[in-house]
Amino acid sequence: MAAVTGAVMGLVAFLAWLTNPTYEPNEPPPVSHKIPVLGHVIAYARNRRGFLKWAYSQNHQEPCSVLVAGRKYYIFNEPQDVAAIHRKSKTLRLDAFLVRVCINLFGFPQEDADHRRGISDEVHNLNNKYLLRPQHYEPVDAKFYKELNMIVRDTAAEVDRSPTGRLTRDGLVLTTDLMAKAATLAFFGPKIFTATSADPLVDFREFIATGFGRVIVGVPRFAMKKVYELQDRCLTSISEYITASDSQDDGSAMMKERIEFSGNHFSDKGRAANEFSFLFALNVNAVPVAYISLLHVLTEPGLFAELRDELSTAGCKPSEPIDFTTTTPAHLPRFRAVYYETLRMHVETSSIREVLEPTSITSKHTSSTGEKEAVEYNFSKGSIIDIPATLLHFDEKLHAAPYEFHPKRFLDTSLGGEGTNPATTLRPFGGGVSYCPGRMFAEKEIVAYLASMVLNFDLRITNGEKEIPISSEFQAAANSPRQIIEFSRRKA
């Protein structure tokens, strides 16, 4: 009898441990959960934005811990904490997750993915060189602006040939066909379309829209054959492009160096996967952000006319190519404000770090008396640190009425705005060693795309119910009700 009682008590204790894992001193305090092992995984997966806001509020807007599928997730938001976390780059990293992404999403063979992990600093430095240094990114910017102007001109000619003088397109597809194509041409060159057996942008769009989340977690091929066929087509197109580029001069200097670099480090399949990863990074965030920005421009009362006036003031004329090298984004502050406000409201990215070894950080928080106090946080090995952008972006102390689309919050006070500084109140591109090097190009391409559409066309959303996607994650935006845009030549 004693043995049975002991076994039962042991089982109860074990279940209690599963429900409430132990926490070391100075670990962010846990938010209680009801489901053993799984913890908050259902709420986290169902409505991540709402769940994180709720969880953070449970500890009075201070760092906390939640249990997600058996792992501790530490949630942080304050800039001083985030900076301290990013400084611990040796023990707080994302390597294991990135290897899984390389294999599952981009199609790297295991050996190539492991090798890429070892040369990640070299890959990052190469991208930084071409995306953050003016002598390297200015030629690509100029090429993008030229391609965008040509595509807009061809689109206007297509409108003219239409019997009704207007065209109707799915807004996400329209953004891909204009902006994403111009960006892809600027970096990859024309052979990405002319030397391939399929349109890689069409396959990319459908691949991400239909299977992104499931591919990331490794759902097997037999369970979603069509999705993996789209991935195969993307990799085949990139392989064909690389073969054509090896024998002929094509594409930007960045792509030439990337292709040479990948040829020195990866197998043929790994080489294709590496350049597919760049095509992905170039378009996966920019396309839905530009699409959602355009929807806001078309639905916010008076905003379209205000932006058109700004283009006129900047000297832009309909049906004439815009000299973006001197116009955007510095001379289009209202367009820029729309871009920042779209990032604030719709980007749901997180900076994620895995705790490789027990680690501690020291930060400073304001006490109830208003004084700065040193605070130490300890992280246990195997846990995850989650720094969600949405906590900062919807912080009412930084952004009044955070659930309202209000671009003037980012407009300079001299122009009638509120002068909020996006550099200190937004976190849409991660941070630390994973700070997105494409952030400067993304702003320029999206502002240029919006300016081109507003300057040259009269546009309207034809859906009876105008519904703007909540999230700018590609799969979420693609699977929200698609907004159909009718456009014609500008009349006034």
Side-chain angles (χ1 to χ4, degrees), residues 115-424:
H115 180 61
R116 193 180 190 278
R117 177 179 184 173
I119 59 171
S120 59
D121 288 344
E122 294 177 60
V123 174
H124 195 64
N125 290 338
L126 192 160
N127 290 334
N128 284 349
K129 170 184 172 181
Y130 283 100
L131 294 171
L132 299 177
R133 297 180 188 174
Q135 68 268 34
H136 293 300
Y137 70 64
E138 286 176 351
V140 176
D141 291 350
K143 178 66 172 173
F144 168 74
Y145 296 143
K146 180 181 178 182
E147 294 291 351
L148 180 63
N149 277 323
M150 291 174 61
I151 292 171
V152 169
R153 179 202 63 194
D154 293 343
T155 303
E158 187 180 354
V159 169
D160 292 340
R161 292 193 298 271
S162 170
T164 61
R166 61 179 64 89
L167 296 175
T168 302
R169 297 274 178 83
D170 175 318
L172 187 67
V173 173
L174 178 67
T175 304
T176 305
D177 289 346
L178 274 68
M179 188 192 77
K181 185 172 184 179
T184 303
L185 284 167
F187 282 95
F188 286 83
K191 287 188 176 60
I192 191 66
F193 297 108
T194 61
T196 54
S197 53
D199 187 329
L201 281 182
V202 172
D203 290 336
F204 157 80
R205 185 178 65 229
E206 294 307 309
F207 170 58
I208 301 302
T210 58
F212 176 75
R214 292 176 293 166
V215 168
I216 283 285
V217 299
V219 174
R221 179 177 285 264
F222 73 82
M224 47 179 194
K225 183 178 179 182
K226 182 180 178 181
V227 171
Y228 280 105
E229 287 175 351
L230 287 166
Q231 184 189 53
D232 292 342
R233 283 161 59 94
C234 289
L235 290 169
T236 297
S237 293
I238 297 296
S239 293
E240 293 168 342
Y241 164 75
I242 290 172
T243 300
S245 298
D246 280 343
S247 60
Q248 301 177 50
D249 188 30
D250 191 53
S252 65
M254 179 182 185
M255 288 310 303
K256 293 172 187 174
E257 185 166 342
R258 279 185 59 95
I259 289 172
E260 181 180 358
F261 178 86
S262 62
N264 293 333
H265 287 279
F266 306 127
S267 65
D268 287 346
K269 186 175 181 181
R271 201 178 182 196
N274 196 53
E275 303 324 314
F276 177 44
S277 73
F278 184 76
L279 180 73
F280 172 92
L282 180 62
N283 294 304
V284 73
N285 295 314
V287 169
V289 169
Y291 165 57
I292 293 172
S293 297
L294 183 60
L295 297 183
H296 278 298
V297 168
L298 299 180
T299 54
E300 293 296 319
L303 182 56
F304 189 91
E306 186 178 333
L307 294 176
R308 189 167 271 184
D309 287 344
E310 180 168 78
L311 288 168
S312 178
T313 301
C316 301
K317 298 179 180 179
S319 303
E320 291 185 11
I322 302 177
D323 184 4
F324 285 115
T325 56
T326 59
T327 302
T328 184
H331 293 89
L332 299 176
R334 288 173 177 79
F335 279 92
R336 207 175 190 183
V338 168
Y339 167 70
Y340 288 139
E341 181 69 344
T342 302
L343 293 179
R344 187 193 69 79
M345 285 199 70
H346 299 281
V347 167
E348 296 189 346
T349 58
S350 281
S351 285
I352 300 291
R353 297 292 186 271
E354 182 178 7
V355 183
L356 302 183
E357 299 293 340
T359 303
S360 64
I361 64 167
T362 301
S363 184
K364 288 188 176 182
H365 283 217
T366 303
S367 69
S368 57
T369 61
E371 297 180 357
K372 293 287 186 181
E373 295 181 345
V375 179
E376 182 175 294
Y377 292 108
N378 294 333
F379 307 136
S380 61
K381 181 179 179 179
S383 299
I384 299 293
I385 297 173
D386 189 340
I387 307 170
T390 51
L391 290 182
L392 186 71
H393 294 179
F394 287 84
D395 186 338
E396 294 183 5
K397 299 190 299 292
L398 300 174
H399 309 289
Y403 292 93
E404 294 179 11
F405 186 82
H406 182 58
K408 284 189 177 180
R409 73 176 84 238
F410 294 111
L411 194 63
D412 192 80
T413 53
S414 65
L415 298 172
E418 297 165 12
T420 300
N421 183 359
T424 57

Side-chain angles (χ1 to χ4, degrees), residues 454-465:
V454 171
L455 179 68
N456 290 287
F457 302 107
D458 291 329
L459 306 104
R460 71 183 185 93
I461 299 173
T462 63
N463 299 56
E465 292 291 328

Side-chain angles (χ1 to χ4, degrees), residues 84-102:
I85 290 167
H86 286 158
R87 285 194 291 269
K88 297 284 186 174
S89 58
K90 291 185 178 180
T91 58
L92 306 179
R93 298 186 65 87
L94 195 54
D95 295 0
F97 173 74
L98 292 179
V99 168
R100 188 166 73 249
V101 168
C102 284

Side-chain angles (χ1 to χ4, degrees), residues 17-92:
W17 177 82
L18 287 177
T19 307
N20 295 293
T22 58
Y23 285 80
E24 299 297 327
N26 294 333
E27 274 190 272
V31 175
S32 62
H33 60 275
K34 296 180 180 179
I35 306 176
V37 183
L38 294 179
H40 298 283
V41 68
I42 297 174
Y44 188 87
R46 182 178 295 165
N47 180 9
R48 186 171 175 275
R49 174 190 290 193
F51 167 73
L52 290 171
K53 189 172 190 282
W54 170 83
Y56 204 65
S57 71
Q58 298 303 295
N59 195 38
H60 310 291
Q61 311 302 321
E62 291 288 333
C64 62
S65 302
V66 296
L67 190 69
V68 178
R71 297 183 90 172
K72 296 176 185 175
Y73 275 59
Y74 305 124
I75 303 173
F76 281 84
N77 179 48
E78 293 299 323
Q80 66 271 19
D81 298 336
V82 173
I85 290 167
H86 286 158
R87 285 194 291 269
K88 297 284 186 174
S89 58
K90 291 185 178 180
T91 58
L92 306 179

